[in-house]
Amino acid sequence: MSDPLRLGIAGLGTVGVGIVRIVQKHGDLLAARAGRPIVITAVSARSQKDRGVDLSGYAWEDDPVALAARDDVDVVIEVMGGHEGPAKHTTEAALAAGKDVVSANKALLAIHGQALAEAAEATGRVIRFEAAVAGGIPVVKSLIEGLAGNEITRVLGVMNGSCNYILTRMEDAGLTYAEVFEEANQLGYLEADPELDVGGIDAGHKLALLAAIAFGTQVDFSGVALEGIGAVTIEDIRQAADMGYRIKLLGVAQMTGRGLEQRMSPCLVPATSPLAQLQGGTNMVVLEGDAVGQIVLRGAGAGEGPTASAIMADVMDLARGTRYATFGQPAHTLRRARAATAAIPAPYYLRLQLLDKPGALAKVAAALGDAGVSIDRMRQYDHHDTAAPVLIVTHKTTRSALDEALARFTQTGVVTTAPVAIRIEAV
Amino acid sequence: MSDPLRLGIAGLGTVGVGIVRIVQKHGDLLAARAGRPIVITAVSARSQKDRGVDLSGYAWEDDPVALAARDDVDVVIEVMGGHEGPAKHTTEAALAAGKDVVSANKALLAIHGQALAEAAEATGRVIRFEAAVAGGIPVVKSLIEGLAGNEITRVLGVMNGSCNYILTRMEDAGLTYAEVFEEANQLGYLEADPELDVGGIDAGHKLALLAAIAFGTQVDFSGVALEGIGAVTIEDIRQAADMGYRIKLLGVAQMTGRGLEQRMSPCLVPATSPLAQLQGGTNMVVLEGDAVGQIVLRGAGAGEGPTASAIMADVMDLARGTRYATFGQPAHTLRRARAATAAIPAPYYLRLQLLDKPGALAKVAAALGDAGVSIDRMRQYDHHDTAAPVLIVTHKTTRSALDEALARFTQTGVVTTAPVAIRIEAV
């Protein structure tokens, strides 16, 4: 049996402790599979409080940057979080000291991924980040390795469990966004800054990482068109369901003739699609390739066990000698993609409030027609006041044509409130 | 850029041609990702007929064993099929000649996997077989690598698209098994020997391969309790649906206190589970680990593109330098597992025909009680003759207790035909 692989863990929150638990519990299993022992030699965290695991056998470092440079550490596991400060310094220090890095830090990699990948390349080290995307689901591995023979045509998915919890809970319990947001916050389901979740930022980081792998491009979080779930109403959830759809916070990355389109926004998906059936905090990623067709991966998107499992997958790969470039191909070969927005036509769901008087519907239909948007289905439904709610599902249209139609609506004089427009993603 | 990785393809059926297409179409993409060119140097098949791809740049070998020994081949791709004869000889010859092998051959590996893994180990070569299980879904990779930090607790799934097509088509069209079997056969959905599909043998091979990886055991196809779908009736599909279940040909592997249980048989699964929602020829594998929880993987289980995609995933791994033992740990460390059957209690669905006379139901209930089987739900439904159909869902019971109850049924004198008993798998 070969030399042990020696881990230094920077960060002893939920995930760090989860890694310690796995290494301590499954030492024999890991060694049998890797052909060498996996050992922890040093750990680092802000305080030496009791975390319910025995850390006495490991060296302690107050400073994670010092941990990253230790001679008795082969792989630095960065599970502190944050896209600047200690996490960034530790990762850079580890690479500079000739260590491989295993990271759960989606924000750091989404923002500084290209520079870090180049730093790793310069020192012949690797950065692995399975745990940064969709928790325990081996999605980074599936994309870089499992689909390596494919031209990737689209990557999409539900990548934030908290948002999916909020949306499914609104539907199941008939509660408003504000009510469920409060509930989720109380239950500790949201980040300290909830906007990271409900604003789509956290999921956007994950999407940017997958897009870089899928399309061989430099990771570009700033190119993600972000829209959170704060404006989703129970009314739209219900009406969408009636029309055969569910609303999900959906990330979609696709290479278009006009550049790389990355969107993280509420979308309607057909109720029969696997994405629509996703309940609660689970994540689902759909990978589409020209040879493989469509692959769907589903599992827990967060939590101690799933995230530690993903970290250990990367550790075991390193122990077995698997090494490749951070985003699946050398950092210097990754192209800088032009960011495209709304390049891909789609059908849209529209909800309008119309003045309840003759000819109102005709004016709306005309506005759509004048903008070049054609109607697939239209429905006026029960109401009890002077405004008549109308639902429209359009045929496939460009976003610019739709925006023109929305502008024309206000000129009709019959649309009483701002229309709701939600993209329908085919999947 | 490093030396090219040189492939020799043994077999030019659908999959072999699919590999040629990918290598020819995506040469630049593959080289960028692998850091070296992927080239085909030699091919072998039974006849030199036109296959719609240009093979003129490759050396031709009539004999795949000769191809396996060529100096200009680094990796032998075995896509001929068959668990004896040329496929076996070619694989053995390749290993003996110091070549790595990438195989789509589930039968060969399920039956001779241990000996082949030992042969690979003896020569320091590797055998990879992603394409042998569930087509394009990266399930072997997910299990060996993605979940390498987990103790695997259960592996299950729908692994034969033809059977799933037959079962969902029976339900959707209200046709009998015989009718849909004929239809599927006409459409070319079944193997030349259909029993490989509908008898569960092909899916059983896949299950045996996954079980060996999951539990660190020597692959043991003979230990798979096999039951095909030939006895599934439209009546049971309908009644199960009414009770909230769907019938699937389900493979389940689980380590028990009494040994390794491997089953491939029709099962009821809750209609809300992802497995139940699987339509047509798609495959789905569920992996359960102590840290990661449940991971669900779904995709096309067969076909040129998906299978060739899986082959290329293994090729790309080899090109990148990824190397590990055939079943994820050294062949000599794989344990010989005792085969356990029916070790894990489960609820069962029972359908009986009773004489339509007073006390009949009480006798059946008593027979169950005497055998120690308790009833969760029981329903007698509409009928138009002298026999009354009765559905029973039991609470969790052992198979032996259930078998005793079935034996007691015949002694009651009121059960007119052989009872149907189908296991309900929680998932």
Side-chain angles (χ1 to χ4, degrees):
Chain A
M1 193 158 285
S2 316
D3 289 341
L5 185 76
R6 301 165 302 172
L7 311 179
I9 304 177
L12 289 171
T14 310
V15 178
V17 168
I19 298 161
V20 172
R21 287 216 173 92
I22 291 178
V23 171
Q24 291 183 350
K25 182 178 173 193
H26 289 322
D28 292 346
L29 192 63
L30 299 176
R33 289 175 178 165
R36 59 195 288 198
I38 310 293
V39 300
I40 297 167
T41 46
V43 295
S44 173
R46 279 192 212 140
S47 74
Q48 296 211 28
K49 66 180 176 187
D50 180 13
R51 293 175 166 85
V53 287
D54 178 9
L55 304 172
S56 61
Y58 317 139
W60 180 274
E61 294 280 0
D62 289 319
D63 179 4
V65 172
L67 174 132
R70 286 179 67 97
D71 283 342
D72 60 359
V73 166
D74 302 311
V75 178
V76 174
I77 298 178
E78 194 272 282
V79 283
M80 296 182 287
H83 61 81
E84 303 295 341
K88 184 159 179 275
H89 301 148
T90 301
T91 302
E92 289 167 342
L95 296 173
K99 322 290 187 189
D100 295 323
V101 175
V102 174
S103 174
N105 195 327
K106 62 214 78 156
L108 176 68
L109 288 162
I111 293 166
H112 301 293
Q114 179 64 23
L116 291 170
E118 287 172 9
E121 197 164 294
T123 58
R125 295 293 101 193
V126 302
I127 304 172
R128 296 289 300 259
F129 58 91
E130 185 65 81
V133 184
I137 308 175
V139 57
V140 171
K141 177 174 283 297
S142 292
L143 194 54
I144 294 185
E145 305 171 40
L147 269 57
N150 289 258
E151 181 180 353
I152 303 300
T153 48
R154 187 171 62 157
V155 173
L156 70 167
V158 170
M159 305 179 201
N160 183 284
S162 307
C163 289
N164 201 54
Y165 168 81
I166 290 174
L167 292 174
T168 52
R169 174 89 177 127
M170 284 173 69
E171 179 168 9
D172 294 347
L175 297 172
T176 66
Y177 172 76
E179 287 166 336
V180 180
F181 176 90
E182 195 45 45
E183 192 181 274
N185 213 5
Q186 300 269 335
L187 289 167
Y189 288 3
L190 298 175
E191 301 267 358
D193 174 5
E195 192 58 21
L196 288 175
D197 285 318
V198 298
I201 298 166
D202 164 87
H205 289 150
K206 299 172 189 169
L207 182 70
L209 293 172
L210 293 183
I213 299 167
F215 304 109
T217 50
Q218 297 187 9
V219 58
D220 177 23
F221 172 64
S222 68
V224 180
L226 277 183
E227 188 189 325
I229 61 169
V232 176
T233 67
I234 177 68
E235 180 70 8
D236 287 311
I237 290 176
R238 283 188 182 137
Q239 296 305 333
D242 251 28
M243 310 275 274
Y245 299 100
R246 284 231 173 79
I247 301 182
K248 296 288 174 189
L249 177 66
L250 200 67
V252 183
Q254 210 164 346
M255 187 58 76
T256 77
R258 290 157 57 185
L260 175 61
E261 180 158 334
Q262 303 177 89
R263 283 177 278 117
M264 180 59 65
S265 61
C267 287
L268 268 63
V269 293
T272 51
S273 101
L275 280 165
Q277 290 154 13
L278 200 67
Q279 295 288 308
T282 314
N283 279 200
M284 183 179 282
V285 181
V286 179
L287 308 175
E288 295 177 349
D290 63 344
V292 80
Q294 187 183 74
I295 296 287
V296 180
L297 311 170
R298 170 189 158 136
E304 175 186 317
T307 312
S309 169
I311 292 277
M312 290 308 299
D314 286 341
V315 166
M316 292 294 281
D317 272 3
L318 293 173
R320 282 166 164 157
T322 296
R323 306 183 71 77
Y324 50 71
T326 308
F327 293 99
Q329 61 185 73
H332 70 273
T333 68
L334 296 166
R335 289 175 302 121
R336 195 187 288 267
R338 183 175 155 191
T341 51
I344 300 160
Y348 282 81
Y349 158 100
L350 304 176
R351 184 165 60 84
L352 314 175
Q353 301 283 344
L354 300 192
L355 281 184
D356 194 4
K357 63 179 196 183
L361 214 51
K363 285 186 182 172
V364 163
L368 283 164
D370 290 347
V373 177
S374 69
I375 298 171
D376 179 15
R377 286 185 285 163
M378 183 185 256
R379 177 195 295 177
Q380 187 162 348
Y381 60 99
D382 284 351
H383 59 283
H384 306 283
D385 51 31
T386 55
V390 172
L391 298 181
I392 297 169
V393 172
T394 74
H395 281 295
K396 237 183 222 188
T397 178
T398 61
R399 179 76 215 192
S400 58
L402 186 82
D403 285 339
E404 191 190 324
L406 295 177
R408 283 171 186 264
F409 283 168
T410 59
Q411 294 157 20
T412 61
V414 299
V415 177
T416 62
T417 55
V420 172
I422 310 177
R423 185 185 174 93
I424 302 176
E425 189 77 25
V427 60
Chain B
M1 193 158 284
S2 315
D3 289 343
L5 185 76
R6 300 166 303 171
L7 312 178
I9 304 177
L12 289 171
T14 310
V15 180
V17 168
I19 297 162
V20 171
R21 287 216 172 94
I22 290 178
V23 172
Q24 293 184 350
K25 183 178 172 193
H26 289 321
D28 292 344
L29 191 63
L30 299 176
R33 289 176 178 164
R36 58 194 289 201
I38 310 293
V39 299
I40 297 167
T41 46
V43 296
S44 171
R46 279 192 212 140
S47 74
Q48 296 210 27
K49 67 180 177 188
D50 181 13
R51 292 174 167 88
V53 287
D54 177 10
L55 303 172
S56 61
Y58 316 140
W60 180 275
E61 294 279 0
D62 288 320
D63 178 4
V65 173
L67 175 133
R70 287 178 65 98
D71 284 342
D72 59 0
V73 167
D74 302 310
V75 177
V76 174
I77 298 179
E78 194 274 282
V79 284
M80 297 182 287
H83 62 81
E84 303 295 339
K88 183 158 181 274
H89 300 146
T90 301
T91 302
E92 289 167 342
L95 297 173
K99 321 290 189 191
D100 295 322
V101 175
V102 174
S103 174
N105 196 327
K106 61 213 78 155
L108 175 69
L109 287 162
I111 293 167
H112 301 294
Q114 180 64 23
L116 290 170
E118 287 172 9
E121 196 164 295
T123 59
R125 296 293 101 192
V126 302
I127 304 173
R128 296 288 301 259
F129 58 90
E130 185 65 80
V133 184
I137 307 174
V139 58
V140 170
K141 176 174 284 295
S142 293
L143 194 54
I144 294 185
E145 305 171 40
L147 269 57
N150 289 258
E151 182 180 354
I152 303 300
T153 48
R154 187 171 62 155
V155 173
L156 71 167
V158 169
M159 306 178 201
N160 183 283
S162 306
C163 288
N164 201 55
Y165 168 82
I166 290 173
L167 293 173
T168 51
R169 174 90 176 127
M170 283 172 71
E171 179 168 8
D172 295 345
L175 298 170
T176 66
Y177 171 77
E179 287 165 336
V180 180
F181 176 91
E182 195 47 43
E183 194 181 274
N185 213 4
Q186 299 269 336
L187 289 166
Y189 288 2
L190 297 175
E191 300 267 358
D193 174 4
E195 192 57 21
L196 288 174
D197 284 317
V198 298
I201 298 167
D202 163 86
H205 289 149
K206 299 172 188 169
L207 183 70
L209 292 172
L210 293 182
I213 298 167
F215 304 109
T217 50
Q218 297 187 10
V219 57
D220 178 23
F221 172 64
S222 68
V224 180
L226 277 183
E227 189 189 325
I229 61 169
V232 176
T233 65
I234 178 68
E235 180 70 7
D236 287 311
I237 289 176
R238 283 190 182 135
Q239 297 304 334
D242 251 27
M243 310 274 277
Y245 299 100
R246 284 231 172 80
I247 301 182
K248 296 287 173 189
L249 177 66
L250 200 67
V252 183
Q254 210 163 348
M255 187 57 75
T256 77
R258 291 157 58 183
L260 175 62
E261 180 158 334
Q262 303 176 88
R263 285 177 276 117
M264 181 59 65
S265 62
C267 286
L268 268 62
V269 293
T272 51
S273 102
L275 280 165
Q277 290 154 13
L278 200 67
Q279 295 288 308
T282 314
N283 278 200
M284 184 179 282
V285 181
V286 179
L287 307 175
E288 295 177 348
D290 63 345
V292 80
Q294 187 183 74
I295 296 286
V296 180
L297 311 170
R298 168 190 159 137
E304 175 186 316
T307 311
S309 170
I311 292 277
M312 289 309 298
D314 286 341
V315 166
M316 291 294 281
D317 273 2
L318 292 173
R320 283 167 163 156
T322 297
R323 305 184 71 78
Y324 50 72
T326 307
F327 294 98
Q329 63 184 73
H332 70 272
T333 68
L334 296 166
R335 288 175 302 121
R336 196 187 288 265
R338 183 176 154 192
T341 51
I344 300 160
Y348 282 82
Y349 157 100
L350 304 177
R351 184 165 61 83
L352 314 174
Q353 300 283 343
L354 300 192
L355 281 183
D356 193 4
K357 63 178 197 184
L361 214 52
K363 285 188 181 171
V364 163
L368 282 164
D370 290 347
V373 178
S374 70
I375 298 172
D376 178 15
R377 286 185 284 163
M378 183 185 255
R379 177 195 295 177
Q380 186 163 349
Y381 59 99
D382 285 352
H383 58 285
H384 306 283
D385 52 28
T386 56
V390 171
L391 298 181
I392 297 169
V393 172
T394 74
H395 281 293
K396 240 183 219 189
T397 177
T398 61
R399 178 77 216 193
S400 59
L402 186 81
D403 286 339
E404 193 192 322
L406 295 177
R408 284 171 185 263
F409 283 168
T410 61
Q411 294 158 19
T412 60
V414 298
V415 177
T416 60
T417 55
V420 171
I422 309 178
R423 184 185 174 95
I424 301 175
E425 189 76 25
V427 60

